[in-house]
Amino acid sequence: MPEATLRPGPEPWEYCLYVPNDPRAVTVSRRTLRLILTLHGLIRLVDVAELLATELISNAVRHTKGPAALRLRWSEGVLRIGAWDADPAPPVPLDRMAALEEDGRGLALVMACADLWGWQPLSAEGNRGKVVWCELGAA
């Protein structure tokens, strides 16, 4: 019987899409994500990743005045989706989400669907703003 051949997983990759502060940027981001994941053979992640990226980029576009960016990174079986915006203020705290009628549900969806999520301010070396990110495992 032949010995099983171990194939290494897909090579790591990263994409970054800068978008203007325009509601249409959400659709562009979503479609770009779908195309990237499909081309990399990660179709099984598309639906959930699309939902997560939509929520993250929607928040960046709706709640800030400047441009935003969608960052996708695949490494060691984990897809990290990040949304950058120029506003250094943290995402709405969870205890205030319940009081909001329209806002705040997107982050709750991210928390429910992602394996891990978080945010970090960017203030080093002249950068400003924040990145809100989440991760999905390939399993």
Side-chain angles (χ1 to χ4, degrees):
M1 179 171 266
E3 189 173 320
T5 305
L6 294 176
R7 291 185 288 157
E11 292 295 318
W13 49 258
E14 185 171 335
Y15 293 86
C16 189
L17 174 67
Y18 290 91
V19 295
N21 190 294
D22 182 323
R24 294 172 290 193
V26 176
T27 300
V28 171
S29 297
R30 186 174 52 244
R31 290 181 179 169
T32 300
L33 175 137
R34 178 173 283 276
L35 179 61
I36 289 168
L37 294 183
T38 300
L39 291 173
H40 281 283
L42 296 170
I43 295 171
R44 65 192 176 281
L45 296 179
V46 167
D47 291 336
V48 174
E50 210 174 39
L51 171 69
L52 296 173
T54 297
E55 295 304 333
L56 295 179
I57 287 292
S58 290
N59 286 343
V61 170
R62 285 181 66 205
H63 301 295
T64 67
K65 295 178 182 173
L70 174 67
R71 182 175 168 204
L72 304 172
R73 185 178 76 205
W74 172 262
S75 182
E76 299 181 13
V78 175
L79 176 66
R80 180 175 273 213
I81 303 166
W84 167 83
D85 65 60
D87 184 353
V92 176
L94 299 178
D95 58 345
R96 288 186 33 213
M97 280 189 199
L100 302 173
E101 291 181 26
E102 290 285 324
D103 297 331
R105 289 185 243 161
L107 194 53
L109 280 172
V110 171
M111 293 171 56
C113 296
D115 296 330
L116 189 62
W117 82 277
W119 78 279
Q120 61 193 66
L122 300 175
S123 59
E125 300 175 16
N127 291 326
R128 52 180 290 248
K130 68 178 168 298
V131 174
V132 182
W133 55 268
C134 62
E135 292 183 349
L136 286 176

